[in-house]
């Protein structure tokens, strides 16, 4: 740890990189996802945020400003936190924005929603034939995707 962060204490690293930098990375990752930007933009913004975190270490605790190992460790941590926030937000977006297509399966994932059964008329006449629509609509049978038949009267009872 001495080679990675030099003269900084563990408390300083946790405070600046973990709490302040991690909180900023989480908020930035969430904002990137909310504006529908692609995932690669998280890495670009976290690289800039990593430079800002290194500057805070330098300004507050007189640490080395140009320390490639410290910058790489800080930026890697920020990318992980930013990516986690981006994925959580994107999963919520997909499940709420496109609720008829996707459903959420966990905090980081979604899947295709199950198709709601659609009813279609089952008659011997073509759909455009005016005789197909009559007063005796209850005789027309509808078919669900599960091959169970249901009449219009039964549909009215369900509603």
């Amino acid at each position: 740890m001495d080679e990675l962060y030099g003269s900084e204490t563990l408390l300083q690293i946790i405070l600046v990189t973990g709490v302040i930098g991690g909180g900023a990375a989480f908020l930035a990752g969430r904002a990137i996802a909310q504006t529908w930007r692609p995932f690669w933009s998280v890495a670009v913004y976290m690289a800039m945020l990593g430079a800002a975190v290194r500057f805070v270490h330098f300004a507050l605790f007189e640490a080395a400003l140009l320390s490639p190992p410290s910058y790489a460790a800080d930026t890697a941590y920020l990318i992980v936190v930013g990516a986690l926030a981006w994925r959580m937000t994107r999963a919520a977006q997909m499940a709420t924005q496109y609720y008829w297509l996707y459903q959420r399966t966990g905090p980081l994932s979604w899947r295709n929603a199950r198709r709601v059964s659609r009813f279609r008329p089952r008659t011997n006449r073509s759909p455009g034939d005016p005789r197909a629509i009559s007063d005796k609509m209850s005789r027309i049978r509808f078919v669900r995707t599960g091959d169970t038949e249901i009449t219009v009267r039964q549909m009215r009872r369900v509603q």
Side-chain angles (χ1 to χ4, degrees), residues 43-79:
V44 172
Y45 286 113
M46 294 308 116
M48 290 187 279
L49 187 60
V53 167
R54 282 309 316 150
F55 178 76
V56 171
H57 280 285
F58 168 74
L60 292 180
F61 306 114
E62 298 176 0
L65 178 63
L66 300 176
S67 173
S70 299
Y71 172 75
D74 291 344
T75 304
Y77 171 73
L78 297 175
I79 287 174

PDB file of all heavy atoms in Angstrom, residues 43-79:
ATOM      1  N   ALA A  43     -16.664   5.329 -18.645  1.00  0.00           N
ATOM      2  CA  ALA A  43     -15.208   5.235 -18.497  1.00  0.00           C
ATOM      3  C   ALA A  43     -14.535   6.583 -18.760  1.00  0.00           C
ATOM      4  O   ALA A  43     -13.588   6.960 -18.056  1.00  0.00           O
ATOM      5  CB  ALA A  43     -14.659   4.169 -19.441  1.00  0.00           C
ATOM      6  N   VAL A  44     -15.027   7.327 -19.735  1.00  0.00           N
ATOM      7  CA  VAL A  44     -14.439   8.633 -20.051  1.00  0.00           C
ATOM      8  C   VAL A  44     -14.636   9.601 -18.882  1.00  0.00           C
ATOM      9  O   VAL A  44     -13.684  10.268 -18.440  1.00  0.00           O
ATOM     10  CB  VAL A  44     -15.053   9.202 -21.348  1.00  0.00           C
ATOM     11  CG1 VAL A  44     -14.604  10.632 -21.585  1.00  0.00           C
ATOM     12  CG2 VAL A  44     -14.706   8.320 -22.530  1.00  0.00           C
ATOM     13  N   TYR A  45     -15.856   9.670 -18.367  1.00  0.00           N
ATOM     14  CA  TYR A  45     -16.127  10.589 -17.262  1.00  0.00           C
ATOM     15  C   TYR A  45     -15.417  10.164 -15.973  1.00  0.00           C
ATOM     16  O   TYR A  45     -15.006  11.010 -15.184  1.00  0.00           O
ATOM     17  CB  TYR A  45     -17.628  10.720 -17.020  1.00  0.00           C
ATOM     18  CG  TYR A  45     -18.312  11.537 -18.073  1.00  0.00           C
ATOM     19  CD1 TYR A  45     -19.219  10.959 -18.951  1.00  0.00           C
ATOM     20  CD2 TYR A  45     -18.060  12.893 -18.198  1.00  0.00           C
ATOM     21  CE1 TYR A  45     -19.842  11.710 -19.921  1.00  0.00           C
ATOM     22  CE2 TYR A  45     -18.687  13.653 -19.167  1.00  0.00           C
ATOM     23  CZ  TYR A  45     -19.575  13.055 -20.028  1.00  0.00           C
ATOM     24  OH  TYR A  45     -20.189  13.805 -20.995  1.00  0.00           O
ATOM     25  N   MET A  46     -15.289   8.872 -15.763  1.00  0.00           N
ATOM     26  CA  MET A  46     -14.606   8.417 -14.552  1.00  0.00           C
ATOM     27  C   MET A  46     -13.104   8.678 -14.633  1.00  0.00           C
ATOM     28  O   MET A  46     -12.454   8.885 -13.600  1.00  0.00           O
ATOM     29  CB  MET A  46     -14.868   6.934 -14.298  1.00  0.00           C
ATOM     30  CG  MET A  46     -16.307   6.604 -13.963  1.00  0.00           C
ATOM     31  SD  MET A  46     -16.988   7.582 -12.643  1.00  0.00           S
ATOM     32  CE  MET A  46     -18.281   8.458 -13.494  1.00  0.00           C
ATOM     33  N   ALA A  47     -12.529   8.682 -15.837  1.00  0.00           N
ATOM     34  CA  ALA A  47     -11.115   9.047 -15.982  1.00  0.00           C
ATOM     35  C   ALA A  47     -10.900  10.511 -15.580  1.00  0.00           C
ATOM     36  O   ALA A  47      -9.918  10.845 -14.901  1.00  0.00           O
ATOM     37  CB  ALA A  47     -10.658   8.810 -17.418  1.00  0.00           C
ATOM     38  N   MET A  48     -11.829  11.370 -15.964  1.00  0.00           N
ATOM     39  CA  MET A  48     -11.732  12.774 -15.552  1.00  0.00           C
ATOM     40  C   MET A  48     -11.963  12.926 -14.050  1.00  0.00           C
ATOM     41  O   MET A  48     -11.285  13.712 -13.378  1.00  0.00           O
ATOM     42  CB  MET A  48     -12.744  13.622 -16.345  1.00  0.00           C
ATOM     43  CG  MET A  48     -12.379  13.754 -17.807  1.00  0.00           C
ATOM     44  SD  MET A  48     -13.424  14.902 -18.681  1.00  0.00           S
ATOM     45  CE  MET A  48     -14.843  13.887 -18.994  1.00  0.00           C
ATOM     46  N   LEU A  49     -12.912  12.162 -13.520  1.00  0.00           N
ATOM     47  CA  LEU A  49     -13.171  12.214 -12.089  1.00  0.00           C
ATOM     48  C   LEU A  49     -11.984  11.667 -11.291  1.00  0.00           C
ATOM     49  O   LEU A  49     -11.691  12.150 -10.196  1.00  0.00           O
ATOM     50  CB  LEU A  49     -14.456  11.441 -11.750  1.00  0.00           C
ATOM     51  CG  LEU A  49     -14.961  11.539 -10.326  1.00  0.00           C
ATOM     52  CD1 LEU A  49     -15.263  12.984  -9.958  1.00  0.00           C
ATOM     53  CD2 LEU A  49     -16.203  10.674 -10.163  1.00  0.00           C
ATOM     54  N   GLY A  50     -11.294  10.690 -11.844  1.00  0.00           N
ATOM     55  CA  GLY A  50     -10.094  10.164 -11.194  1.00  0.00           C
ATOM     56  C   GLY A  50      -9.014  11.231 -11.059  1.00  0.00           C
ATOM     57  O   GLY A  50      -8.328  11.306 -10.037  1.00  0.00           O
ATOM     58  N   ALA A  51      -8.885  12.083 -12.077  1.00  0.00           N
ATOM     59  CA  ALA A  51      -7.928  13.194 -11.986  1.00  0.00           C
ATOM     60  C   ALA A  51      -8.355  14.182 -10.900  1.00  0.00           C
ATOM     61  O   ALA A  51      -7.514  14.712 -10.163  1.00  0.00           O
ATOM     62  CB  ALA A  51      -7.816  13.893 -13.336  1.00  0.00           C
ATOM     63  N   ALA A  52      -9.648  14.425 -10.784  1.00  0.00           N
ATOM     64  CA  ALA A  52     -10.139  15.332  -9.741  1.00  0.00           C
ATOM     65  C   ALA A  52      -9.903  14.757  -8.350  1.00  0.00           C
ATOM     66  O   ALA A  52      -9.536  15.488  -7.414  1.00  0.00           O
ATOM     67  CB  ALA A  52     -11.623  15.613  -9.952  1.00  0.00           C
ATOM     68  N   VAL A  53     -10.084  13.468  -8.192  1.00  0.00           N
ATOM     69  CA  VAL A  53      -9.842  12.826  -6.895  1.00  0.00           C
ATOM     70  C   VAL A  53      -8.357  12.906  -6.532  1.00  0.00           C
ATOM     71  O   VAL A  53      -8.007  13.190  -5.386  1.00  0.00           O
ATOM     72  CB  VAL A  53     -10.346  11.358  -6.908  1.00  0.00           C
ATOM     73  CG1 VAL A  53      -9.832  10.572  -5.719  1.00  0.00           C
ATOM     74  CG2 VAL A  53     -11.855  11.330  -6.936  1.00  0.00           C
ATOM     75  N   ARG A  54      -7.485  12.697  -7.520  1.00  0.00           N
ATOM     76  CA  ARG A  54      -6.048  12.843  -7.258  1.00  0.00           C
ATOM     77  C   ARG A  54      -5.722  14.264  -6.843  1.00  0.00           C
ATOM     78  O   ARG A  54      -4.876  14.498  -5.979  1.00  0.00           O
ATOM     79  CB  ARG A  54      -5.223  12.482  -8.494  1.00  0.00           C
ATOM     80  CG  ARG A  54      -5.045  11.046  -8.760  1.00  0.00           C
ATOM     81  CD  ARG A  54      -4.558  10.171  -7.653  1.00  0.00           C
ATOM     82  NE  ARG A  54      -3.454  10.681  -6.859  1.00  0.00           N
ATOM     83  CZ  ARG A  54      -3.263  10.387  -5.571  1.00  0.00           C
ATOM     84  NH1 ARG A  54      -4.085   9.585  -4.944  1.00  0.00           N
ATOM     85  NH2 ARG A  54      -2.239  10.867  -4.920  1.00  0.00           N
ATOM     86  N   PHE A  55      -6.389  15.253  -7.464  1.00  0.00           N
ATOM     87  CA  PHE A  55      -6.138  16.643  -7.087  1.00  0.00           C
ATOM     88  C   PHE A  55      -6.586  16.912  -5.646  1.00  0.00           C
ATOM     89  O   PHE A  55      -5.914  17.635  -4.915  1.00  0.00           O
ATOM     90  CB  PHE A  55      -6.842  17.607  -8.043  1.00  0.00           C
ATOM     91  CG  PHE A  55      -6.651  19.040  -7.654  1.00  0.00           C
ATOM     92  CD1 PHE A  55      -5.443  19.679  -7.896  1.00  0.00           C
ATOM     93  CD2 PHE A  55      -7.657  19.740  -7.010  1.00  0.00           C
ATOM     94  CE1 PHE A  55      -5.242  21.000  -7.515  1.00  0.00           C
ATOM     95  CE2 PHE A  55      -7.471  21.062  -6.629  1.00  0.00           C
ATOM     96  CZ  PHE A  55      -6.262  21.692  -6.877  1.00  0.00           C
ATOM     97  N   VAL A  56      -7.691  16.336  -5.230  1.00  0.00           N
ATOM     98  CA  VAL A  56      -8.155  16.521  -3.849  1.00  0.00           C
ATOM     99  C   VAL A  56      -7.147  15.908  -2.876  1.00  0.00           C
ATOM    100  O   VAL A  56      -6.850  16.492  -1.824  1.00  0.00           O
ATOM    101  CB  VAL A  56      -9.579  15.936  -3.656  1.00  0.00           C
ATOM    102  CG1 VAL A  56      -9.976  15.929  -2.197  1.00  0.00           C
ATOM    103  CG2 VAL A  56     -10.583  16.717  -4.481  1.00  0.00           C
ATOM    104  N   HIS A  57      -6.619  14.735  -3.206  1.00  0.00           N
ATOM    105  CA  HIS A  57      -5.564  14.140  -2.370  1.00  0.00           C
ATOM    106  C   HIS A  57      -4.362  15.085  -2.278  1.00  0.00           C
ATOM    107  O   HIS A  57      -3.787  15.260  -1.208  1.00  0.00           O
ATOM    108  CB  HIS A  57      -5.111  12.795  -2.950  1.00  0.00           C
ATOM    109  CG  HIS A  57      -6.007  11.652  -2.640  1.00  0.00           C
ATOM    110  ND1 HIS A  57      -6.051  11.053  -1.410  1.00  0.00           N
ATOM    111  CD2 HIS A  57      -6.882  10.963  -3.408  1.00  0.00           C
ATOM    112  CE1 HIS A  57      -6.917  10.059  -1.434  1.00  0.00           C
ATOM    113  NE2 HIS A  57      -7.442   9.986  -2.641  1.00  0.00           N
ATOM    114  N   PHE A  58      -4.003  15.670  -3.402  1.00  0.00           N
ATOM    115  CA  PHE A  58      -2.858  16.587  -3.445  1.00  0.00           C
ATOM    116  C   PHE A  58      -3.133  17.867  -2.662  1.00  0.00           C
ATOM    117  O   PHE A  58      -2.297  18.325  -1.881  1.00  0.00           O
ATOM    118  CB  PHE A  58      -2.541  16.910  -4.917  1.00  0.00           C
ATOM    119  CG  PHE A  58      -1.587  18.045  -5.113  1.00  0.00           C
ATOM    120  CD1 PHE A  58      -0.238  17.886  -4.847  1.00  0.00           C
ATOM    121  CD2 PHE A  58      -2.036  19.274  -5.560  1.00  0.00           C
ATOM    122  CE1 PHE A  58       0.653  18.932  -5.042  1.00  0.00           C
ATOM    123  CE2 PHE A  58      -1.158  20.322  -5.750  1.00  0.00           C
ATOM    124  CZ  PHE A  58       0.190  20.162  -5.485  1.00  0.00           C
ATOM    125  N   ALA A  59      -4.327  18.441  -2.847  1.00  0.00           N
ATOM    126  CA  ALA A  59      -4.644  19.731  -2.227  1.00  0.00           C
ATOM    127  C   ALA A  59      -4.865  19.611  -0.715  1.00  0.00           C
ATOM    128  O   ALA A  59      -4.438  20.487   0.040  1.00  0.00           O
ATOM    129  CB  ALA A  59      -5.871  20.336  -2.887  1.00  0.00           C
ATOM    130  N   LEU A  60      -5.519  18.580  -0.273  1.00  0.00           N
ATOM    131  CA  LEU A  60      -5.844  18.458   1.149  1.00  0.00           C
ATOM    132  C   LEU A  60      -4.733  17.801   1.978  1.00  0.00           C
ATOM    133  O   LEU A  60      -4.497  18.192   3.120  1.00  0.00           O
ATOM    134  CB  LEU A  60      -7.143  17.679   1.332  1.00  0.00           C
ATOM    135  CG  LEU A  60      -8.429  18.351   0.841  1.00  0.00           C
ATOM    136  CD1 LEU A  60      -9.616  17.443   1.111  1.00  0.00           C
ATOM    137  CD2 LEU A  60      -8.621  19.703   1.502  1.00  0.00           C
ATOM    138  N   PHE A  61      -4.102  16.790   1.413  1.00  0.00           N
ATOM    139  CA  PHE A  61      -3.181  15.979   2.221  1.00  0.00           C
ATOM    140  C   PHE A  61      -1.745  15.994   1.704  1.00  0.00           C
ATOM    141  O   PHE A  61      -0.932  15.185   2.139  1.00  0.00           O
ATOM    142  CB  PHE A  61      -3.693  14.534   2.280  1.00  0.00           C
ATOM    143  CG  PHE A  61      -5.099  14.436   2.762  1.00  0.00           C
ATOM    144  CD1 PHE A  61      -6.110  13.983   1.925  1.00  0.00           C
ATOM    145  CD2 PHE A  61      -5.441  14.809   4.052  1.00  0.00           C
ATOM    146  CE1 PHE A  61      -7.413  13.890   2.364  1.00  0.00           C
ATOM    147  CE2 PHE A  61      -6.752  14.716   4.492  1.00  0.00           C
ATOM    148  CZ  PHE A  61      -7.740  14.261   3.645  1.00  0.00           C
ATOM    149  N   GLU A  62      -1.438  16.860   0.758  1.00  0.00           N
ATOM    150  CA  GLU A  62      -0.093  17.012   0.193  1.00  0.00           C
ATOM    151  C   GLU A  62       0.459  15.698  -0.361  1.00  0.00           C
ATOM    152  O   GLU A  62       1.637  15.380  -0.206  1.00  0.00           O
ATOM    153  CB  GLU A  62       0.863  17.612   1.222  1.00  0.00           C
ATOM    154  CG  GLU A  62       0.455  18.998   1.677  1.00  0.00           C
ATOM    155  CD  GLU A  62       1.351  19.558   2.757  1.00  0.00           C
ATOM    156  OE1 GLU A  62       2.315  18.864   3.171  1.00  0.00           O
ATOM    157  OE2 GLU A  62       1.103  20.680   3.184  1.00  0.00           O
ATOM    158  N   ALA A  63      -0.385  14.950  -1.003  1.00  0.00           N
ATOM    159  CA  ALA A  63       0.046  13.711  -1.637  1.00  0.00           C
ATOM    160  C   ALA A  63       0.616  14.046  -3.021  1.00  0.00           C
ATOM    161  O   ALA A  63       0.486  15.168  -3.512  1.00  0.00           O
ATOM    162  CB  ALA A  63      -1.137  12.755  -1.781  1.00  0.00           C
ATOM    163  N   ALA A  64       1.221  13.080  -3.659  1.00  0.00           N
ATOM    164  CA  ALA A  64       1.794  13.299  -4.988  1.00  0.00           C
ATOM    165  C   ALA A  64       0.662  13.482  -6.000  1.00  0.00           C
ATOM    166  O   ALA A  64      -0.261  12.670  -6.067  1.00  0.00           O
ATOM    167  CB  ALA A  64       2.668  12.124  -5.373  1.00  0.00           C
ATOM    168  N   LEU A  65       0.742  14.558  -6.778  1.00  0.00           N
ATOM    169  CA  LEU A  65      -0.303  14.826  -7.767  1.00  0.00           C
ATOM    170  C   LEU A  65      -0.171  13.896  -8.961  1.00  0.00           C
ATOM    171  O   LEU A  65      -1.159  13.307  -9.404  1.00  0.00           O
ATOM    172  CB  LEU A  65      -0.239  16.287  -8.222  1.00  0.00           C
ATOM    173  CG  LEU A  65      -1.242  16.702  -9.303  1.00  0.00           C
ATOM    174  CD1 LEU A  65      -2.666  16.542  -8.767  1.00  0.00           C
ATOM    175  CD2 LEU A  65      -0.998  18.124  -9.749  1.00  0.00           C
ATOM    176  N   LEU A  66       1.016  13.751  -9.482  1.00  0.00           N
ATOM    177  CA  LEU A  66       1.250  12.909 -10.660  1.00  0.00           C
ATOM    178  C   LEU A  66       1.804  11.561 -10.226  1.00  0.00           C
ATOM    179  O   LEU A  66       2.997  11.281 -10.331  1.00  0.00           O
ATOM    180  CB  LEU A  66       2.213  13.608 -11.621  1.00  0.00           C
ATOM    181  CG  LEU A  66       1.732  14.960 -12.142  1.00  0.00           C
ATOM    182  CD1 LEU A  66       2.795  15.607 -12.998  1.00  0.00           C
ATOM    183  CD2 LEU A  66       0.435  14.807 -12.897  1.00  0.00           C
ATOM    184  N   SER A  67       0.902  10.722  -9.735  1.00  0.00           N
ATOM    185  CA  SER A  67       1.270   9.376  -9.302  1.00  0.00           C
ATOM    186  C   SER A  67       0.436   8.385 -10.123  1.00  0.00           C
ATOM    187  O   SER A  67      -0.735   8.135  -9.802  1.00  0.00           O
ATOM    188  CB  SER A  67       0.990   9.214  -7.811  1.00  0.00           C
ATOM    189  OG  SER A  67       1.182   7.892  -7.426  1.00  0.00           O
ATOM    190  N   PRO A  68       1.019   7.822 -11.205  1.00  0.00           N
ATOM    191  CA  PRO A  68       0.246   6.913 -12.060  1.00  0.00           C
ATOM    192  C   PRO A  68      -0.371   5.715 -11.327  1.00  0.00           C
ATOM    193  O   PRO A  68      -1.523   5.366 -11.606  1.00  0.00           O
ATOM    194  CB  PRO A  68       1.250   6.466 -13.125  1.00  0.00           C
ATOM    195  CG  PRO A  68       2.255   7.561 -13.170  1.00  0.00           C
ATOM    196  CD  PRO A  68       2.348   8.083 -11.760  1.00  0.00           C
ATOM    197  N   PRO A  69       0.328   5.051 -10.404  1.00  0.00           N
ATOM    198  CA  PRO A  69      -0.333   3.925  -9.718  1.00  0.00           C
ATOM    199  C   PRO A  69      -1.547   4.368  -8.885  1.00  0.00           C
ATOM    200  O   PRO A  69      -2.583   3.690  -8.875  1.00  0.00           O
ATOM    201  CB  PRO A  69       0.757   3.348  -8.825  1.00  0.00           C
ATOM    202  CG  PRO A  69       2.044   3.829  -9.375  1.00  0.00           C
ATOM    203  CD  PRO A  69       1.750   5.127 -10.028  1.00  0.00           C
ATOM    204  N   SER A  70      -1.430   5.510  -8.198  1.00  0.00           N
ATOM    205  CA  SER A  70      -2.562   6.001  -7.396  1.00  0.00           C
ATOM    206  C   SER A  70      -3.721   6.416  -8.294  1.00  0.00           C
ATOM    207  O   SER A  70      -4.885   6.137  -7.987  1.00  0.00           O
ATOM    208  CB  SER A  70      -2.125   7.189  -6.547  1.00  0.00           C
ATOM    209  OG  SER A  70      -1.107   6.817  -5.666  1.00  0.00           O
ATOM    210  N   TYR A  71      -3.395   7.087  -9.390  1.00  0.00           N
ATOM    211  CA  TYR A  71      -4.440   7.492 -10.344  1.00  0.00           C
ATOM    212  C   TYR A  71      -5.148   6.265 -10.927  1.00  0.00           C
ATOM    213  O   TYR A  71      -6.369   6.239 -11.044  1.00  0.00           O
ATOM    214  CB  TYR A  71      -3.842   8.341 -11.466  1.00  0.00           C
ATOM    215  CG  TYR A  71      -4.815   8.638 -12.570  1.00  0.00           C
ATOM    216  CD1 TYR A  71      -5.826   9.575 -12.392  1.00  0.00           C
ATOM    217  CD2 TYR A  71      -4.754   7.960 -13.780  1.00  0.00           C
ATOM    218  CE1 TYR A  71      -6.741   9.841 -13.392  1.00  0.00           C
ATOM    219  CE2 TYR A  71      -5.654   8.216 -14.788  1.00  0.00           C
ATOM    220  CZ  TYR A  71      -6.650   9.157 -14.600  1.00  0.00           C
ATOM    221  OH  TYR A  71      -7.559   9.405 -15.592  1.00  0.00           O
ATOM    222  N   ALA A  72      -4.378   5.233 -11.288  1.00  0.00           N
ATOM    223  CA  ALA A  72      -4.970   4.018 -11.859  1.00  0.00           C
ATOM    224  C   ALA A  72      -5.873   3.317 -10.844  1.00  0.00           C
ATOM    225  O   ALA A  72      -6.967   2.846 -11.194  1.00  0.00           O
ATOM    226  CB  ALA A  72      -3.865   3.079 -12.340  1.00  0.00           C
ATOM    227  N   ALA A  73      -5.447   3.242  -9.594  1.00  0.00           N
ATOM    228  CA  ALA A  73      -6.263   2.588  -8.562  1.00  0.00           C
ATOM    229  C   ALA A  73      -7.533   3.385  -8.291  1.00  0.00           C
ATOM    230  O   ALA A  73      -8.632   2.807  -8.192  1.00  0.00           O
ATOM    231  CB  ALA A  73      -5.455   2.432  -7.275  1.00  0.00           C
ATOM    232  N   ASP A  74      -7.404   4.711  -8.180  1.00  0.00           N
ATOM    233  CA  ASP A  74      -8.585   5.551  -7.958  1.00  0.00           C
ATOM    234  C   ASP A  74      -9.562   5.444  -9.116  1.00  0.00           C
ATOM    235  O   ASP A  74     -10.771   5.286  -8.919  1.00  0.00           O
ATOM    236  CB  ASP A  74      -8.180   7.022  -7.774  1.00  0.00           C
ATOM    237  CG  ASP A  74      -7.435   7.273  -6.483  1.00  0.00           C
ATOM    238  OD1 ASP A  74      -7.479   6.400  -5.591  1.00  0.00           O
ATOM    239  OD2 ASP A  74      -6.811   8.348  -6.371  1.00  0.00           O
ATOM    240  N   THR A  75      -9.042   5.525 -10.336  1.00  0.00           N
ATOM    241  CA  THR A  75      -9.906   5.489 -11.520  1.00  0.00           C
ATOM    242  C   THR A  75     -10.573   4.131 -11.679  1.00  0.00           C
ATOM    243  O   THR A  75     -11.746   4.061 -12.051  1.00  0.00           O
ATOM    244  CB  THR A  75      -9.090   5.852 -12.774  1.00  0.00           C
ATOM    245  OG1 THR A  75      -8.482   7.135 -12.568  1.00  0.00           O
ATOM    246  CG2 THR A  75      -9.969   5.920 -13.994  1.00  0.00           C
ATOM    247  N   ALA A  76      -9.857   3.059 -11.391  1.00  0.00           N
ATOM    248  CA  ALA A  76     -10.471   1.723 -11.473  1.00  0.00           C
ATOM    249  C   ALA A  76     -11.630   1.601 -10.495  1.00  0.00           C
ATOM    250  O   ALA A  76     -12.705   1.078 -10.843  1.00  0.00           O
ATOM    251  CB  ALA A  76      -9.432   0.650 -11.205  1.00  0.00           C
ATOM    252  N   TYR A  77     -11.445   2.087  -9.280  1.00  0.00           N
ATOM    253  CA  TYR A  77     -12.525   2.059  -8.289  1.00  0.00           C
ATOM    254  C   TYR A  77     -13.705   2.909  -8.757  1.00  0.00           C
ATOM    255  O   TYR A  77     -14.866   2.491  -8.655  1.00  0.00           O
ATOM    256  CB  TYR A  77     -12.006   2.564  -6.939  1.00  0.00           C
ATOM    257  CG  TYR A  77     -13.099   2.764  -5.920  1.00  0.00           C
ATOM    258  CD1 TYR A  77     -13.721   1.683  -5.324  1.00  0.00           C
ATOM    259  CD2 TYR A  77     -13.514   4.042  -5.564  1.00  0.00           C
ATOM    260  CE1 TYR A  77     -14.738   1.865  -4.392  1.00  0.00           C
ATOM    261  CE2 TYR A  77     -14.522   4.233  -4.638  1.00  0.00           C
ATOM    262  CZ  TYR A  77     -15.130   3.148  -4.059  1.00  0.00           C
ATOM    263  OH  TYR A  77     -16.146   3.332  -3.155  1.00  0.00           O
ATOM    264  N   LEU A  78     -13.435   4.078  -9.300  1.00  0.00           N
ATOM    265  CA  LEU A  78     -14.508   4.962  -9.760  1.00  0.00           C
ATOM    266  C   LEU A  78     -15.255   4.367 -10.954  1.00  0.00           C
ATOM    267  O   LEU A  78     -16.475   4.515 -11.066  1.00  0.00           O
ATOM    268  CB  LEU A  78     -13.933   6.336 -10.122  1.00  0.00           C
ATOM    269  CG  LEU A  78     -13.296   7.112  -8.973  1.00  0.00           C
ATOM    270  CD1 LEU A  78     -12.663   8.389  -9.480  1.00  0.00           C
ATOM    271  CD2 LEU A  78     -14.292   7.389  -7.875  1.00  0.00           C
ATOM    272  N   ILE A  79     -14.544   3.678 -11.827  1.00  0.00           N
ATOM    273  CA  ILE A  79     -15.205   3.031 -12.972  1.00  0.00           C
ATOM    274  C   ILE A  79     -16.140   1.928 -12.489  1.00  0.00           C
ATOM    275  O   ILE A  79     -17.256   1.783 -12.996  1.00  0.00           O
ATOM    276  CB  ILE A  79     -14.159   2.495 -13.975  1.00  0.00           C
ATOM    277  CG1 ILE A  79     -13.527   3.668 -14.729  1.00  0.00           C
ATOM    278  CG2 ILE A  79     -14.793   1.514 -14.960  1.00  0.00           C
ATOM    279  CD1 ILE A  79     -12.385   3.268 -15.639  1.00  0.00           C
TER     280      ILE A  79
END
